[in-house]
Amino acid sequence: WKNRQRDLLSDGELGQQLFATMLPNLDDSLEQYELSPTPCMHPLAAYGEGDLTTLFPGTVELAKELGIKHPKLSEKGKTIPWHLSTDLLLVFKSANGKRQVLALAYKPDDWKSKQRTCELLSLEREYWERRGIQWLLITPKLSDVLVVLTLRRIACWALADEVPVELRHLATRIALEHPNDSLTTVL
């Protein structure tokens, strides 16, 4: 159970991640951030910041308070609480070095029609609110699919290591020398 594999990002979650890479002061991006079923420290404690002594309620306790049945995993006669996760946890670092956290959940358009999804989202939201962390629910209606597709196409170029100035100048010169050629030819 400890080493269970996480799902890969959905197309929507990937778009969310690509938008996040453009945010200023982004210090860390944690995909499929596991929510603790038991009381635990604030996420900023991992960076040595914030309240390092307070334990915040886990999902099991919060589910009881909210009157929601907590998901569980059963195997070989044993039952343990299922570990919910938040799709993306963003950590920002300001100029003064202080960090802040933003939690993002992504759901497809049909999420409202599923009662259980609504319950689990309210549990996730409460988890972050108790920690003083803003939680946002992202849906496809909040972004243009063409923008997301463009980000997916250019991500390999935009997120690569910076190219030295002299090589950028060379690439510009070659592109200008071949204005009517295809991109493949220029490359």
Side-chain angles (χ1 to χ4, degrees):
W1 285 331
K2 284 185 178 180
N3 296 320
R4 68 180 182 276
Q5 186 176 350
R6 292 284 182 199
D7 293 333
L8 296 174
L9 291 175
S10 69
D11 287 345
E13 291 170 349
L14 176 58
Q16 175 179 265
Q17 174 70 56
L18 293 172
F19 275 114
T21 63
M22 297 186 297
L23 295 171
N25 304 322
L26 184 65
D27 187 48
D28 205 352
S29 176
L30 307 164
E31 299 167 6
Q32 299 301 314
Y33 187 88
E34 192 171 286
L35 308 183
S36 177
T38 59
C40 66
M41 294 175 67
H42 195 280
L44 287 178
Y47 300 88
E49 292 185 22
D51 185 347
L52 301 176
T53 58
T54 301
L55 292 180
F56 294 87
T59 57
V60 171
E61 179 182 336
L62 293 172
K64 272 185 193 165
E65 286 181 25
L66 296 171
I68 297 171
K69 182 178 177 185
H70 195 283
K72 57 187 172 187
L73 180 64
S74 297
E75 188 175 290
K76 298 179 184 175
K78 291 184 181 179
T79 301
I80 61 169
W82 177 259
H83 290 232
L84 293 104
S85 65
T86 291
D87 297 322
L88 194 57
L89 194 67
L90 302 176
V91 181
F92 298 92
K93 190 173 184 180
S94 65
N96 68 6
K98 186 175 168 97
R99 288 184 175 87
Q100 288 185 308
V101 181
L102 174 65
L104 301 175
Y106 178 86
K107 290 295 173 228
D109 283 330
D110 65 346
W111 71 272
K112 288 183 182 178
S113 65
K114 299 174 182 160
Q115 177 64 28
R116 184 64 174 156
T117 301
C118 292
E119 289 176 354
L120 295 178
L121 284 172
S122 67
L123 177 57
E124 182 180 346
R125 183 187 67 233
E126 186 67 21
Y127 184 91
W128 293 115
E129 285 183 0
R130 293 290 182 97
R131 287 152 177 80
I133 293 174
Q134 185 175 12
W135 177 86
L136 298 175
L137 176 61
I138 309 295
T139 65
K141 291 180 182 177
L142 296 176
S143 64
D144 185 329
V145 69
L146 295 176
V147 173
V148 174
L149 290 173
T150 299
L151 289 174
R152 288 175 57 184
R153 280 194 300 272
I154 67 168
C156 60
W157 300 93
L159 299 176
D161 291 333
E162 188 170 344
V163 176
V165 172
E166 55 275 0
L167 290 179
R168 290 191 305 233
H169 289 305
L170 174 62
T172 302
R173 184 177 56 75
I174 292 170
L176 291 171
E177 289 172 1
H178 301 276
N180 299 318
D181 291 337
S182 70
L183 177 60
T184 303
T185 300
V186 173
L187 289 175

